[in-house]
Amino acid sequence: MTAEPGSGPVYWAEHAWLNGTVEPGVTLETAGGRLTAVRGGTQAPQGAEVLRGLTLPGLANAHSHAFHRALRGTVQVGSGTFWTWREVMYRVAGRLTPDSYLALARAAYAEMALAGITCVGEFHYLHHTPGGTPYDDPNAMGRALVEAAAQAGIRLTLLDTCYLSSGFGAAPDRHQLRFHDGTAERWAERVTELRPDATTRIGAAIHSVRAVPAGALGMVAAWAEGHSAPLHVHLSEQPAENDACRSVHGCTPTRLLADNGVLGEGTTAVHATHLTDEDVALLGGTGTGVCMCPTTERDLADGIGPAAAVQRAGSPLSLGSDSHAVVDLLEEARAMELDERLRTRTRGHWTASQLLRAASEDGHAALGWPEAGRLEAGSLADFTTVALDSVRTAGPLPRLAAEAVVFAATAADVRHTVVGGRHVVRDGVHLLVPDVPAALAEAVAAVTH
């Protein structure tokens, strides 16, 4: 068999993860950026691109702050808390321009492609100049992120974030002026000017119940519903947020969101680390998703969230690299299981297949790409191949390849990344950003030195 005229590339996966099982010899035919046929038990067709290892649906990084990539290493010096970390973060945020953000995000997204990530959800709140004055194009920073993802070859859901207060109605401080649109109405006017394209979708975000007053929560939720857009929100990452919310509103942040129409199947709560039993029931009962970011949550000493409990209650789980302490969705997946083992002192809360689904299909759904995250005809032709012959993955039987990848592989084992049927990473080399380490070093230096 060879590719038909007018069709896209044909790939042959040595092993592929299909419907929760590892299948040998899988032919993947593409056209128009989608999979047109997926057949197991085949020999490599003539002219097919051969993918040695385990081919998975592309991974979805459901929660990213691209500029946090500039903090790696710096914020690991010494001790402190989330709140002291935040001060360092603000200093970097204050130095970014549309041009420097484009360079930094392009490099960060290229690092993601090297890690097998084909779609990222960017929780974006750096909207204006450091003093709060809008750029000539009020969406200049958001458009820089769109362009960065395009240049890095991955899909983007720009989760444009409403951020109005330094805390429960207090005016923004000097660091937060560039996040601030003044009112939810002005936020909605600005974000409505953004447009999706073939590789970009526009979503909404509520930074937190600290940063968006209760009276404005409903407007952001209504904008998301009216535009059929995903809605994300930082939730209960810190006990201090819960305490302040109870003091001001007499309820938890989760209850406040529920009472203002924010929860639901189109919403994803990020972190959800410090929840009450009622909070868990509210999230699960409304079908609200939960995005866990274990490497950031442990880096910032946030705590271990009740991931197993919220999933049992009805919340789908997704994964994010958040602050990019590392960019490795395989590490996020296994960390969720291993953290739960430490918390409960029991093993086996999720299978390898369930963790892969959180990192792929459910992450894409949370970002508004329901047609991605599966290797089946009609899905977007976005996939990644992980080596099974590295020092970390060699040895297990092929039928255990999913377990080997989830519990032993790292981003360094990603061999290929394909987006829309075309290689972005081939044999570990990014084809659009040839020297990703150098691009990262130059972009980070521009905003930190």
Side-chain angles (χ1 to χ4, degrees):
M1 180 184 70
T2 58
E4 295 294 329
S7 66
V10 175
Y11 295 87
W12 182 79
E14 183 181 29
H15 301 281
W17 183 69
L18 304 180
N19 299 316
T21 61
V22 176
E23 301 288 343
V26 177
T27 296
L28 303 166
E29 298 180 26
T30 74
R34 291 184 180 258
L35 289 164
T36 55
V38 178
R39 290 190 290 272
T42 64
Q43 298 297 313
Q46 183 180 357
E49 299 208 43
V50 175
L51 307 174
R52 296 288 179 192
L54 178 65
T55 296
L56 310 166
L59 305 179
N61 186 356
H63 190 66
S64 163
H65 300 291
F67 76 94
H68 288 191
R69 178 58 181 82
L71 302 175
R72 188 182 296 176
T74 302
V75 292
Q76 278 75 38
V77 176
S79 60
T81 67
F82 168 87
W83 307 104
T84 54
W85 168 89
R86 191 175 71 161
E87 291 303 310
V88 180
M89 179 268 287
Y90 282 160
R91 288 200 294 273
V92 171
R95 294 172 179 164
L96 287 160
T97 67
D99 287 344
S100 63
Y101 205 8
L102 170 57
L104 179 57
R106 174 178 178 263
Y109 295 157
E111 180 181 3
M112 292 182 198
L114 289 170
I117 293 164
T118 56
C119 184
V120 60
E122 183 62 36
F123 201 101
H124 166 56
Y125 53 84
L126 290 176
H127 302 308
H128 309 301
T129 67
T133 303
Y135 291 99
D136 291 340
D137 173 3
N139 284 303
M141 295 293 270
R143 295 192 208 282
L145 292 166
V146 171
E147 179 62 23
Q151 291 186 17
I154 67 173
R155 301 185 195 275
L156 171 75
T157 296
L158 185 68
L159 297 161
D160 196 287
T161 304
C162 187
Y163 195 125
L164 304 176
S165 169
S166 63
F168 296 98
D173 68 24
R174 61 185 181 85
H175 299 296
Q176 297 158 346
L177 289 173
R178 71 180 315 182
F179 312 161
H180 181 48
D181 281 300
T183 66
E185 289 83 0
R186 289 210 290 271
W187 167 84
E189 290 171 3
R190 181 182 53 73
V191 72
T192 299
E193 295 302 312
L194 291 164
R195 296 287 184 268
D197 58 38
T199 58
T200 306
R201 292 189 179 164
I202 307 302
I206 293 165
H207 180 273
S208 58
V209 297
R210 288 183 290 109
V212 178
L217 295 171
M219 172 164 284
V220 182
W223 185 95
E225 183 177 7
H227 289 80
S228 300
L231 174 63
H232 288 220
V233 54
H234 289 137
L235 177 64
S236 292
E237 183 178 4
Q238 291 291 320
E241 176 184 294
N242 292 353
D243 294 343
C245 189
R246 287 191 181 96
S247 176
V248 173
H249 296 290
C251 64
T252 67
T254 303
R255 169 53 71 184
L256 187 65
L257 294 176
D259 290 348
N260 285 276
V262 175
L263 302 185
E265 293 181 0
T267 300
T268 297
V270 181
H271 301 303
T273 307
H274 301 282
L275 302 180
T276 66
D277 290 344
E278 181 193 25
D279 293 340
V280 170
L282 282 170
L283 293 172
T286 55
T288 301
V290 173
C291 178
M292 305 300 294
C293 306
T295 65
T296 292
E297 289 149 6
R298 66 193 184 193
D299 183 58
L300 297 180
D302 287 343
I304 300 171
V310 293
Q311 187 172 54
R312 284 194 302 269
S315 292
L317 297 176
S318 55
L319 297 164
S321 64
D322 191 7
S323 70
H324 315 313
V326 298
V327 171
D328 190 338
L329 262 286
L330 300 175
E331 174 63 19
E332 304 294 345
R334 74 170 151 265
M336 188 165 70
E337 165 67 25
L338 298 181
D339 285 354
E340 189 70 6
R341 292 182 186 186
L342 287 175
R343 193 178 67 81
T344 64
R345 292 184 290 175
T346 60
R347 303 175 75 227
H349 302 275
W350 294 276
T351 66
S353 285
Q354 288 170 327
L355 293 169
L356 286 174
R357 188 165 291 111
S360 56
E361 182 175 358
D362 290 344
H364 281 98
L367 295 177
W369 297 87
E371 70 273 47
R374 297 177 303 282
L375 296 181
E376 63 182 34
S379 293
L380 291 172
D382 298 357
F383 42 89
T384 187
T385 303
V386 183
L388 296 178
D389 58 359
S390 75
V391 293
R392 288 165 292 276
T393 59
L397 295 170
R399 64 181 175 82
L400 299 175
E403 285 76 12
V405 164
V406 169
F407 289 103
T410 73
D413 297 310
V414 170
R415 185 169 281 162
H416 306 285
T417 301
V418 172
V419 180
R422 304 288 177 179
H423 262 108
V424 174
V425 173
R426 179 184 277 119
D427 294 320
V429 176
H430 200 293
L431 302 183
L432 303 177
V433 186
D435 191 343
V436 178
L440 283 164
E442 182 177 354
V444 170
V447 297
T448 58
H449 296 174

